[in-house]
Amino acid sequence: MQLVSKIYMTLLLLMCIGMLIWGIGGFFEYFTGVKPFIKLQNDAYPSGVQFVHWLLITLTASVFLWGYLTKWKWTPFVMVLLFSNLAVLCTIESFDFMSAQWSFSAYFTEIASYMVHSAFLLRSSLSKSRFKHF
């Protein structure tokens, strides 16, 4: 089970590195209008929603990476808060702005992933020993 936890933590770390690159690229395109590598802006979202989208993605990735590297004890709790904010944003984006592109499976997959990540960070022995939060 310890091996599975290590693999999962590594995958979370890699996911957050990817999220940080995606978030920085999204902000770059948001502020300059220049596509960094592919078009990242979603034309269905109003400007304010798009800003919050990139803010939460960049903030979530940055907090996890910083918390992981410094072994910050509050990392799991702050990540649960950030995941819940991402879930609310996902709900707003899915139900209010993406009616033509929206699918139940994509929405529920994203929500479920936030729940699984949160449970792992709060309950796994690897997370507890890394972040010393209990």
Side-chain angles (χ1 to χ4, degrees):
M1 194 62 169
Q2 193 69 0
L3 177 63
V4 173
S5 290
K6 286 182 182 180
I7 291 169
Y8 194 84
M9 185 69 82
T10 303
L11 290 175
L12 269 177
L13 189 60
L14 292 173
M15 178 189 78
C16 286
I17 291 168
M19 281 178 68
L20 184 59
I21 293 166
W22 182 39
I24 291 169
F27 264 134
F28 177 78
E29 184 179 343
Y30 178 84
F31 286 116
T32 67
V34 176
K35 291 187 293 189
F37 35 92
I38 60 171
K39 182 174 173 24
L40 296 173
Q41 303 304 307
N42 188 326
D43 297 329
Y45 303 159
S47 181
V49 172
Q50 194 72 62
F51 179 82
V52 172
H53 178 89
W54 297 123
L55 178 66
L56 284 175
I57 288 169
T58 305
L59 186 62
T60 300
S62 298
V63 165
F64 184 78
L65 292 172
W66 182 75
Y68 182 85
L69 294 173
T70 64
K71 299 181 180 182
W72 186 42
K73 72 176 183 173
W74 298 107
T75 301
F77 300 108
V78 174
M79 290 305 296
V80 169
L81 290 172
L82 289 167
F83 287 146
S84 68
N85 281 280
L86 283 168
V88 169
L89 181 64
C90 176
T91 302
I92 291 167
E93 290 172 348
S94 296
F95 287 95
D96 289 347
F97 301 112
M98 291 179 43
S99 58
Q101 305 167 31
W102 182 77
S103 75
F104 276 115
S105 60
Y107 172 75
F108 286 118
T109 299
E110 187 168 344
I111 300 302
S113 71
Y114 295 142
M115 293 169 59
V116 170
H117 298 333
S118 296
F120 173 79
L121 288 171
L122 291 175
R123 309 271 308 168
S124 78
S125 59
L126 179 64
S127 177
K128 289 177 182 179
S129 67
R130 171 126 200 126
F131 301 112
K132 309 245 189 286
H133 63 281
F134 290 91

